Amino acid sequence: MGKIRLRTWRRLVLVLFAAIFAAIVYRWISLERLQRFAPIEISGTPTPEPTATRPPVITGKVDTAKLFNGITLHSTVETTPGADAATERIQPESYVLDLKLLAHVPSPNKTIEELAKVSPQLPTLLPGLTSMLSVDPVSPLFAQLYDTKIRILRENLGRLDLLLSRHNFFDCQTVLQLQHFETHRKALLLQAEMDVDADGSDSDRLPAGTDAPANFKPATSYRWEKKTDAPNPYLAGTEQRLKRAEDEYALASTAPARKRDLRNAIAELRAEIGTLKKFSFLIGATDPFIVVPGTFTRGPDPVKVGDYALVVFGDAIYPVIVGDVGPNDKVGEASLRIAKELNALATAYNRPVSDLKVSYIIFPGTVEKPFGPPDLDKIHARCETLVKEIGGASVPLHRWENIIPSPTPSPSPSPSSTPSGTPSPSPSPTFAFRVESPAATRSAGSTTAPARSPAASRNPHSKRKP
């Protein structure tokens, strides 16, 4: 009996120890699981963790009509099953907008019939053009122009507000390289629209400043050394901008990134001030000149500032010069003087011709130096000679008149109003010239694009020089 009880006690003790051991193991496993999956309680204020780098996101209010100006938009929303919302919220690839811009690269006009579809009077006005068209007259500049447009589209695809508008992407109908078979006179023919360049200033000819539009630049690429000591009318404003930039740069509170931008701005303003003190320029409101893309000034037969050219529109031919260089990706721009001759309603904000109906014929290698104030009679005579070298014209070239007013002396005071023995004051010149301000502009109808506000002119889609 005693032996049975002893054996039973041993078994009970073994079972008890086994149960205790199993309980310990189970508890240990449970704690390990809790530490791995249960949230960790943090006492006090947590230390912020660095935020992982994410792709750029669209935030705030976006005006879609302006964002996709002139771009046909096809939009769809696709969904796929995902994890819980808390997990998907922090995954950059869980909410994505894929952008794909499809752009048709236009084919250039090559034949006289195709040119006539755009400008019906062109073959009649310049009959020699037909014989100047070779088998493949398209200039490599046309392909370079659209290659540049496409490259800029790719670079700016992440900034939809910087993309070229439909209007500015399709702004060039053709670029042809021509040569007369007898005289060997070369010419570059463009068909495009016409935007407006109101830039330029010359205190020697027009001391008074004008109502400068937004993005106005007092200088043009065509320039010459000043003839008088009259200060440029825009010099004082440029010096004020320089002083404000230098004062802000000197502040201790100015952030390093802002200081870097200010350094660049100060260098540019100082260079501009030096240029305004030394040179005179063409005046967009008074001088007939056209603007060419920067890429056109490079190559085997480059266009140079000062080359003579023609603007053909409707049934008229206008003699002009190449006076300025613009962005590499945009074509079709002329001075405000030409724009108003084509359309009286044109302004610095209102293009005279929105359709691709303007023909520009440039004569490379005809620039004459040294530069000086434009001689309208000389421009007329030189372009007349060049037109004869490409077969002549069926109508006389337009003759420009000098519209810069001559200094008009102010009326001298009557003798009765002048004290005895006091000399009368010298008459001071006064000028009655101005450029229309944006407030005075209005829409120009079907042949003219809607008037643009000053804010619109700052848009990168506009054809302004960088």
Side-chain angles (χ1 to χ4, degrees), residues 173-216:
Q173 191 81 352
T174 193
V175 182
L176 303 181
Q177 50 189 6
L178 311 176
Q179 185 172 14
H180 196 271
F181 67 98
E182 290 183 351
T183 64
H184 303 292
R185 169 58 62 192
K186 293 183 178 181
L188 192 70
L189 186 149
L190 323 174
Q191 281 188 323
E193 58 173 8
M194 182 179 285
D195 278 343
V196 180
D197 185 348
D199 293 345
S201 58
D202 180 8
S203 57
D204 296 345
R205 293 184 294 152
L206 193 64
T210 62
D211 295 332
N215 275 2
F216 171 83

mmCIF file of all heavy atoms in Angstrom, residues 173-216:
data_model
loop_
_atom_site.group_PDB
_atom_site.id
_atom_site.type_symbol
_atom_site.label_atom_id
_atom_site.label_comp_id
_atom_site.label_asym_id
_atom_site.label_seq_id
_atom_site.Cartn_x
_atom_site.Cartn_y
_atom_site.Cartn_z
ATOM 1 N N GLN A 173 4.021 77.418 -90.236
ATOM 2 C CA GLN A 173 3.504 76.607 -91.332
ATOM 3 C C GLN A 173 4.639 75.974 -92.140
ATOM 4 O O GLN A 173 4.543 74.839 -92.558
ATOM 5 C CB GLN A 173 2.639 77.480 -92.250
ATOM 6 C CG GLN A 173 1.830 76.713 -93.280
ATOM 7 C CD GLN A 173 0.556 76.147 -92.697
ATOM 8 O OE1 GLN A 173 0.334 76.206 -91.487
ATOM 9 N NE2 GLN A 173 -0.286 75.592 -93.526
ATOM 10 N N THR A 174 5.703 76.718 -92.354
ATOM 11 C CA THR A 174 6.822 76.186 -93.121
ATOM 12 C C THR A 174 8.034 77.090 -92.984
ATOM 13 O O THR A 174 7.927 78.264 -92.618
ATOM 14 C CB THR A 174 6.447 76.053 -94.615
ATOM 15 O OG1 THR A 174 7.420 75.260 -95.284
ATOM 16 C CG2 THR A 174 6.362 77.417 -95.294
ATOM 17 N N VAL A 175 9.213 76.531 -93.279
ATOM 18 C CA VAL A 175 10.466 77.282 -93.392
ATOM 19 C C VAL A 175 11.166 76.745 -94.643
ATOM 20 O O VAL A 175 11.563 75.581 -94.670
ATOM 21 C CB VAL A 175 11.376 77.119 -92.162
ATOM 22 C CG1 VAL A 175 12.633 77.959 -92.318
ATOM 23 C CG2 VAL A 175 10.634 77.507 -90.890
ATOM 24 N N LEU A 176 11.309 77.587 -95.659
ATOM 25 C CA LEU A 176 11.885 77.157 -96.927
ATOM 26 C C LEU A 176 13.168 77.934 -97.215
ATOM 27 O O LEU A 176 13.244 79.135 -96.962
ATOM 28 C CB LEU A 176 10.895 77.383 -98.076
ATOM 29 C CG LEU A 176 9.525 76.706 -97.957
ATOM 30 C CD1 LEU A 176 8.682 77.007 -99.188
ATOM 31 C CD2 LEU A 176 9.675 75.202 -97.767
ATOM 32 N N GLN A 177 14.172 77.238 -97.732
ATOM 33 C CA GLN A 177 15.402 77.880 -98.168
ATOM 34 C C GLN A 177 15.348 78.013 -99.690
ATOM 35 O O GLN A 177 15.187 77.033 -100.404
ATOM 36 C CB GLN A 177 16.623 77.077 -97.719
ATOM 37 C CG GLN A 177 16.579 75.584 -98.056
ATOM 38 C CD GLN A 177 17.709 74.824 -97.407
ATOM 39 O OE1 GLN A 177 18.465 75.371 -96.615
ATOM 40 N NE2 GLN A 177 17.839 73.545 -97.742
ATOM 41 N N LEU A 178 15.450 79.245 -100.178
ATOM 42 C CA LEU A 178 15.280 79.533 -101.595
ATOM 43 C C LEU A 178 16.540 80.167 -102.158
ATOM 44 O O LEU A 178 17.330 80.785 -101.432
ATOM 45 C CB LEU A 178 14.095 80.484 -101.800
ATOM 46 C CG LEU A 178 12.773 80.120 -101.106
ATOM 47 C CD1 LEU A 178 11.750 81.219 -101.328
ATOM 48 C CD2 LEU A 178 12.254 78.784 -101.605
ATOM 49 N N GLN A 179 16.718 80.033 -103.471
ATOM 50 C CA GLN A 179 17.827 80.698 -104.162
ATOM 51 C C GLN A 179 17.409 80.932 -105.608
ATOM 52 O O GLN A 179 16.938 80.021 -106.300
ATOM 53 C CB GLN A 179 19.108 79.877 -104.093
ATOM 54 C CG GLN A 179 20.312 80.602 -104.694
ATOM 55 C CD GLN A 179 21.618 79.858 -104.448
ATOM 56 O OE1 GLN A 179 21.620 78.705 -104.057
ATOM 57 N NE2 GLN A 179 22.739 80.532 -104.654
ATOM 58 N N HIS A 180 17.592 82.167 -106.081
ATOM 59 C CA HIS A 180 17.236 82.500 -107.449
ATOM 60 C C HIS A 180 18.273 81.901 -108.400
ATOM 61 O O HIS A 180 19.485 82.004 -108.166
ATOM 62 C CB HIS A 180 17.156 84.016 -107.639
ATOM 63 C CG HIS A 180 16.440 84.424 -108.876
ATOM 64 N ND1 HIS A 180 17.089 84.584 -110.083
ATOM 65 C CD2 HIS A 180 15.122 84.692 -109.108
ATOM 66 C CE1 HIS A 180 16.215 84.955 -111.004
ATOM 67 N NE2 HIS A 180 15.007 85.022 -110.441
ATOM 68 N N PHE A 181 17.791 81.272 -109.477
ATOM 69 C CA PHE A 181 18.691 80.527 -110.357
ATOM 70 C C PHE A 181 19.605 81.433 -111.165
ATOM 71 O O PHE A 181 20.667 80.988 -111.645
ATOM 72 C CB PHE A 181 17.880 79.625 -111.302
ATOM 73 C CG PHE A 181 17.042 80.368 -112.304
ATOM 74 C CD1 PHE A 181 17.486 80.560 -113.592
ATOM 75 C CD2 PHE A 181 15.805 80.886 -111.942
ATOM 76 C CE1 PHE A 181 16.715 81.246 -114.521
ATOM 77 C CE2 PHE A 181 15.039 81.570 -112.862
ATOM 78 C CZ PHE A 181 15.484 81.763 -114.151
ATOM 79 N N GLU A 182 19.264 82.723 -111.367
ATOM 80 C CA GLU A 182 20.100 83.626 -112.146
ATOM 81 C C GLU A 182 20.983 84.504 -111.265
ATOM 82 O O GLU A 182 22.202 84.573 -111.433
ATOM 83 C CB GLU A 182 19.233 84.505 -113.052
ATOM 84 C CG GLU A 182 18.569 83.756 -114.200
ATOM 85 C CD GLU A 182 17.782 84.685 -115.100
ATOM 86 O OE1 GLU A 182 17.613 85.871 -114.740
ATOM 87 O OE2 GLU A 182 17.325 84.219 -116.167
ATOM 88 N N THR A 183 20.369 85.176 -110.300
ATOM 89 C CA THR A 183 21.126 86.101 -109.446
ATOM 90 C C THR A 183 21.798 85.400 -108.275
ATOM 91 O O THR A 183 22.664 85.982 -107.615
ATOM 92 C CB THR A 183 20.197 87.183 -108.884
ATOM 93 O OG1 THR A 183 19.212 86.568 -108.016
ATOM 94 C CG2 THR A 183 19.458 87.905 -110.010
ATOM 95 N N HIS A 184 21.367 84.166 -107.993
ATOM 96 C CA HIS A 184 21.881 83.379 -106.867
ATOM 97 C C HIS A 184 21.579 84.039 -105.513
ATOM 98 O O HIS A 184 22.211 83.723 -104.507
ATOM 99 C CB HIS A 184 23.396 83.146 -106.999
ATOM 100 C CG HIS A 184 23.782 82.478 -108.282
ATOM 101 N ND1 HIS A 184 23.452 81.175 -108.578
ATOM 102 C CD2 HIS A 184 24.473 82.951 -109.366
ATOM 103 C CE1 HIS A 184 23.919 80.854 -109.775
ATOM 104 N NE2 HIS A 184 24.541 81.921 -110.283
ATOM 105 N N ARG A 185 20.635 84.946 -105.495
ATOM 106 C CA ARG A 185 20.230 85.573 -104.236
ATOM 107 C C ARG A 185 19.507 84.534 -103.373
ATOM 108 O O ARG A 185 18.566 83.898 -103.797
ATOM 109 C CB ARG A 185 19.317 86.761 -104.501
ATOM 110 C CG ARG A 185 18.629 87.330 -103.261
ATOM 111 C CD ARG A 185 19.596 87.788 -102.187
ATOM 112 N NE ARG A 185 20.460 88.872 -102.650
ATOM 113 C CZ ARG A 185 21.529 89.293 -101.982
ATOM 114 N NH1 ARG A 185 21.885 88.676 -100.838
ATOM 115 N NH2 ARG A 185 22.277 90.294 -102.449
ATOM 116 N N LYS A 186 19.955 84.365 -102.145
ATOM 117 C CA LYS A 186 19.337 83.432 -101.214
ATOM 118 C C LYS A 186 18.268 84.135 -100.383
ATOM 119 O O LYS A 186 18.379 85.337 -100.102
ATOM 120 C CB LYS A 186 20.384 82.821 -100.283
ATOM 121 C CG LYS A 186 21.376 81.912 -100.991
ATOM 122 C CD LYS A 186 22.351 81.282 -100.001
ATOM 123 C CE LYS A 186 23.308 80.341 -100.717
ATOM 124 N NZ LYS A 186 24.261 79.690 -99.756
ATOM 125 N N ALA A 187 17.266 83.360 -100.018
ATOM 126 C CA ALA A 187 16.194 83.899 -99.181
ATOM 127 C C ALA A 187 15.632 82.780 -98.313
ATOM 128 O O ALA A 187 15.672 81.602 -98.687
ATOM 129 C CB ALA A 187 15.081 84.501 -100.042
ATOM 130 N N LEU A 188 15.140 83.158 -97.143
ATOM 131 C CA LEU A 188 14.503 82.223 -96.217
ATOM 132 C C LEU A 188 13.051 82.639 -96.081
ATOM 133 O O LEU A 188 12.756 83.778 -95.701
ATOM 134 C CB LEU A 188 15.204 82.263 -94.859
ATOM 135 C CG LEU A 188 14.854 81.150 -93.875
ATOM 136 C CD1 LEU A 188 15.422 79.816 -94.351
ATOM 137 C CD2 LEU A 188 15.392 81.477 -92.489
ATOM 138 N N LEU A 189 12.134 81.742 -96.428
ATOM 139 C CA LEU A 189 10.706 82.057 -96.404
ATOM 140 C C LEU A 189 10.029 81.330 -95.247
ATOM 141 O O LEU A 189 10.139 80.109 -95.116
ATOM 142 C CB LEU A 189 10.049 81.675 -97.726
ATOM 143 C CG LEU A 189 8.583 82.080 -97.911
ATOM 144 C CD1 LEU A 189 8.283 82.357 -99.386
ATOM 145 C CD2 LEU A 189 7.605 81.021 -97.401
ATOM 146 N N LEU A 190 9.350 82.079 -94.411
ATOM 147 C CA LEU A 190 8.563 81.517 -93.310
ATOM 148 C C LEU A 190 7.105 81.862 -93.522
ATOM 149 O O LEU A 190 6.776 82.940 -94.021
ATOM 150 C CB LEU A 190 8.994 82.089 -91.955
ATOM 151 C CG LEU A 190 10.469 82.373 -91.685
ATOM 152 C CD1 LEU A 190 10.621 83.061 -90.345
ATOM 153 C CD2 LEU A 190 11.246 81.086 -91.703
ATOM 154 N N GLN A 191 6.230 80.968 -93.121
ATOM 155 C CA GLN A 191 4.804 81.277 -93.038
ATOM 156 C C GLN A 191 4.369 81.006 -91.605
ATOM 157 O O GLN A 191 4.534 79.901 -91.085
ATOM 158 C CB GLN A 191 3.995 80.437 -94.012
ATOM 159 C CG GLN A 191 4.050 80.947 -95.443
ATOM 160 C CD GLN A 191 3.099 80.221 -96.374
ATOM 161 O OE1 GLN A 191 2.898 79.022 -96.262
ATOM 162 N NE2 GLN A 191 2.506 80.957 -97.306
ATOM 163 N N ALA A 192 3.841 82.023 -90.967
ATOM 164 C CA ALA A 192 3.504 81.923 -89.550
ATOM 165 C C ALA A 192 2.427 82.948 -89.212
ATOM 166 O O ALA A 192 1.836 83.573 -90.102
ATOM 167 C CB ALA A 192 4.757 82.141 -88.698
ATOM 168 N N GLU A 193 2.182 83.105 -87.927
ATOM 169 C CA GLU A 193 1.266 84.120 -87.428
ATOM 170 C C GLU A 193 2.063 85.392 -87.175
ATOM 171 O O GLU A 193 3.188 85.542 -87.636
ATOM 172 C CB GLU A 193 0.639 83.626 -86.129
ATOM 173 C CG GLU A 193 1.713 83.311 -85.078
ATOM 174 C CD GLU A 193 1.186 82.968 -83.728
ATOM 175 O OE1 GLU A 193 -0.036 82.816 -83.593
ATOM 176 O OE2 GLU A 193 1.992 82.871 -82.792
ATOM 177 N N MET A 194 1.475 86.320 -86.426
ATOM 178 C CA MET A 194 2.239 87.503 -86.018
ATOM 179 C C MET A 194 1.868 87.905 -84.601
ATOM 180 O O MET A 194 0.745 88.330 -84.337
ATOM 181 C CB MET A 194 2.010 88.691 -86.955
ATOM 182 C CG MET A 194 2.851 89.921 -86.558
ATOM 183 S SD MET A 194 2.647 91.350 -87.638
ATOM 184 C CE MET A 194 3.583 90.807 -89.066
ATOM 185 N N ASP A 195 2.831 87.732 -83.684
ATOM 186 C CA ASP A 195 2.724 88.289 -82.345
ATOM 187 C C ASP A 195 3.433 89.640 -82.329
ATOM 188 O O ASP A 195 4.079 90.022 -83.298
ATOM 189 C CB ASP A 195 3.327 87.343 -81.314
ATOM 190 C CG ASP A 195 2.356 86.240 -80.920
ATOM 191 O OD1 ASP A 195 1.161 86.402 -81.192
ATOM 192 O OD2 ASP A 195 2.800 85.221 -80.357
ATOM 193 N N VAL A 196 3.332 90.344 -81.208
ATOM 194 C CA VAL A 196 3.772 91.740 -81.148
ATOM 195 C C VAL A 196 4.969 91.894 -80.223
ATOM 196 O O VAL A 196 4.980 91.386 -79.095
ATOM 197 C CB VAL A 196 2.617 92.652 -80.679
ATOM 198 C CG1 VAL A 196 3.079 94.103 -80.621
ATOM 199 C CG2 VAL A 196 1.418 92.516 -81.607
ATOM 200 N N ASP A 197 5.985 92.604 -80.706
ATOM 201 C CA ASP A 197 7.144 92.988 -79.902
ATOM 202 C C ASP A 197 7.103 94.507 -79.724
ATOM 203 O O ASP A 197 7.262 95.258 -80.685
ATOM 204 C CB ASP A 197 8.434 92.572 -80.619
ATOM 205 C CG ASP A 197 9.685 92.838 -79.784
ATOM 206 O OD1 ASP A 197 9.568 93.533 -78.763
ATOM 207 O OD2 ASP A 197 10.765 92.353 -80.156
ATOM 208 N N ALA A 198 6.872 94.952 -78.480
ATOM 209 C CA ALA A 198 6.814 96.390 -78.179
ATOM 210 C C ALA A 198 8.065 96.856 -77.457
ATOM 211 O O ALA A 198 8.074 97.930 -76.858
ATOM 212 C CB ALA A 198 5.574 96.694 -77.336
ATOM 213 N N ASP A 199 9.146 96.061 -77.511
ATOM 214 C CA ASP A 199 10.369 96.382 -76.770
ATOM 215 C C ASP A 199 11.147 97.525 -77.431
ATOM 216 O O ASP A 199 10.865 97.943 -78.548
ATOM 217 C CB ASP A 199 11.261 95.149 -76.676
ATOM 218 C CG ASP A 199 10.663 94.056 -75.816
ATOM 219 O OD1 ASP A 199 9.710 94.359 -75.077
ATOM 220 O OD2 ASP A 199 11.135 92.912 -75.898
ATOM 221 N N GLY A 200 12.168 97.975 -76.716
ATOM 222 C CA GLY A 200 13.125 98.917 -77.276
ATOM 223 C C GLY A 200 12.944 100.337 -76.792
ATOM 224 O O GLY A 200 11.856 100.751 -76.399
ATOM 225 N N SER A 201 14.054 101.092 -76.826
ATOM 226 C CA SER A 201 14.040 102.490 -76.394
ATOM 227 C C SER A 201 15.255 103.195 -76.982
ATOM 228 O O SER A 201 16.291 102.578 -77.225
ATOM 229 C CB SER A 201 14.057 102.591 -74.861
ATOM 230 O OG SER A 201 15.205 101.938 -74.334
ATOM 231 N N ASP A 202 15.121 104.481 -77.210
ATOM 232 C CA ASP A 202 16.209 105.300 -77.741
ATOM 233 C C ASP A 202 15.990 106.728 -77.277
ATOM 234 O O ASP A 202 15.185 107.468 -77.848
ATOM 235 C CB ASP A 202 16.233 105.218 -79.270
ATOM 236 C CG ASP A 202 17.350 106.062 -79.877
ATOM 237 O OD1 ASP A 202 18.184 106.580 -79.116
ATOM 238 O OD2 ASP A 202 17.368 106.200 -81.113
ATOM 239 N N SER A 203 16.708 107.137 -76.252
ATOM 240 C CA SER A 203 16.514 108.479 -75.695
ATOM 241 C C SER A 203 16.987 109.568 -76.647
ATOM 242 O O SER A 203 16.567 110.718 -76.536
ATOM 243 C CB SER A 203 17.246 108.599 -74.358
ATOM 244 O OG SER A 203 18.627 108.302 -74.518
ATOM 245 N N ASP A 204 17.863 109.228 -77.594
ATOM 246 C CA ASP A 204 18.310 110.234 -78.563
ATOM 247 C C ASP A 204 17.169 110.652 -79.494
ATOM 248 O O ASP A 204 17.060 111.821 -79.869
ATOM 249 C CB ASP A 204 19.461 109.685 -79.399
ATOM 250 C CG ASP A 204 20.697 109.399 -78.553
ATOM 251 O OD1 ASP A 204 20.754 109.881 -77.408
ATOM 252 O OD2 ASP A 204 21.595 108.688 -79.041
ATOM 253 N N ARG A 205 16.330 109.710 -79.856
ATOM 254 C CA ARG A 205 15.222 110.012 -80.764
ATOM 255 C C ARG A 205 13.920 110.272 -80.019
ATOM 256 O O ARG A 205 13.089 111.055 -80.470
ATOM 257 C CB ARG A 205 15.012 108.854 -81.738
ATOM 258 C CG ARG A 205 16.148 108.631 -82.723
ATOM 259 C CD ARG A 205 15.800 107.518 -83.699
ATOM 260 N NE ARG A 205 15.700 106.221 -83.041
ATOM 261 C CZ ARG A 205 14.933 105.222 -83.481
ATOM 262 N NH1 ARG A 205 14.166 105.378 -84.541
ATOM 263 N NH2 ARG A 205 14.931 104.057 -82.849
ATOM 264 N N LEU A 206 13.723 109.585 -78.883
ATOM 265 C CA LEU A 206 12.461 109.692 -78.151
ATOM 266 C C LEU A 206 12.780 109.723 -76.656
ATOM 267 O O LEU A 206 12.741 108.698 -75.988
ATOM 268 C CB LEU A 206 11.547 108.509 -78.486
ATOM 269 C CG LEU A 206 10.085 108.624 -78.052
ATOM 270 C CD1 LEU A 206 9.392 109.762 -78.770
ATOM 271 C CD2 LEU A 206 9.349 107.321 -78.336
ATOM 272 N N PRO A 207 13.112 110.895 -76.121
ATOM 273 C CA PRO A 207 13.524 110.963 -74.711
ATOM 274 C C PRO A 207 12.443 110.545 -73.734
ATOM 275 O O PRO A 207 12.743 110.056 -72.651
ATOM 276 C CB PRO A 207 13.886 112.442 -74.529
ATOM 277 C CG PRO A 207 14.152 112.949 -75.901
ATOM 278 C CD PRO A 207 13.236 112.184 -76.806
ATOM 279 N N ALA A 208 11.181 110.759 -74.087
ATOM 280 C CA ALA A 208 10.098 110.446 -73.156
ATOM 281 C C ALA A 208 9.835 108.956 -73.135
ATOM 282 O O ALA A 208 9.873 108.287 -74.167
ATOM 283 C CB ALA A 208 8.827 111.201 -73.549
ATOM 284 N N GLY A 209 9.553 108.412 -71.939
ATOM 285 C CA GLY A 209 9.180 107.020 -71.816
ATOM 286 C C GLY A 209 7.755 106.789 -72.288
ATOM 287 O O GLY A 209 6.961 107.720 -72.426
ATOM 288 N N THR A 210 7.420 105.565 -72.564
ATOM 289 C CA THR A 210 6.075 105.207 -73.004
ATOM 290 C C THR A 210 5.390 104.384 -71.928
ATOM 291 O O THR A 210 6.005 103.975 -70.954
ATOM 292 C CB THR A 210 6.141 104.409 -74.311
ATOM 293 O OG1 THR A 210 6.863 103.192 -74.071
ATOM 294 C CG2 THR A 210 6.852 105.197 -75.405
ATOM 295 N N ASP A 211 4.111 104.132 -72.141
ATOM 296 C CA ASP A 211 3.368 103.256 -71.235
ATOM 297 C C ASP A 211 3.808 101.823 -71.513
ATOM 298 O O ASP A 211 3.209 101.118 -72.321
ATOM 299 C CB ASP A 211 1.861 103.411 -71.452
ATOM 300 C CG ASP A 211 1.381 104.811 -71.090
ATOM 301 O OD1 ASP A 211 2.016 105.433 -70.229
ATOM 302 O OD2 ASP A 211 0.381 105.264 -71.674
ATOM 303 N N ALA A 212 4.885 101.397 -70.873
ATOM 304 C CA ALA A 212 5.479 100.095 -71.169
ATOM 305 C C ALA A 212 4.553 98.968 -70.742
ATOM 306 O O ALA A 212 4.045 98.967 -69.624
ATOM 307 C CB ALA A 212 6.826 99.965 -70.453
ATOM 308 N N PRO A 213 4.335 97.980 -71.614
ATOM 309 C CA PRO A 213 3.503 96.836 -71.243
ATOM 310 C C PRO A 213 4.248 95.894 -70.312
ATOM 311 O O PRO A 213 5.452 96.040 -70.078
ATOM 312 C CB PRO A 213 3.212 96.164 -72.589
ATOM 313 C CG PRO A 213 4.394 96.512 -73.428
ATOM 314 C CD PRO A 213 4.815 97.891 -72.998
ATOM 315 N N ALA A 214 3.539 94.924 -69.761
ATOM 316 C CA ALA A 214 4.182 93.914 -68.925
ATOM 317 C C ALA A 214 5.214 93.155 -69.750
ATOM 318 O O ALA A 214 5.056 92.955 -70.955
ATOM 319 C CB ALA A 214 3.128 92.955 -68.372
ATOM 320 N N ASN A 215 6.287 92.732 -69.100
ATOM 321 C CA ASN A 215 7.394 92.020 -69.747
ATOM 322 C C ASN A 215 8.149 92.888 -70.749
ATOM 323 O O ASN A 215 8.889 92.385 -71.583
ATOM 324 C CB ASN A 215 6.906 90.742 -70.437
ATOM 325 C CG ASN A 215 6.843 89.575 -69.481
ATOM 326 O OD1 ASN A 215 7.117 89.713 -68.304
ATOM 327 N ND2 ASN A 215 6.452 88.433 -69.989
ATOM 328 N N PHE A 216 7.966 94.196 -70.684
ATOM 329 C CA PHE A 216 8.681 95.104 -71.588
ATOM 330 C C PHE A 216 10.171 95.074 -71.295
ATOM 331 O O PHE A 216 10.601 95.006 -70.150
ATOM 332 C CB PHE A 216 8.145 96.530 -71.398
ATOM 333 C CG PHE A 216 8.951 97.584 -72.106
ATOM 334 C CD1 PHE A 216 8.745 97.856 -73.453
ATOM 335 C CD2 PHE A 216 9.927 98.296 -71.427
ATOM 336 C CE1 PHE A 216 9.496 98.822 -74.100
ATOM 337 C CE2 PHE A 216 10.679 99.274 -72.063
ATOM 338 C CZ PHE A 216 10.462 99.535 -73.414
#
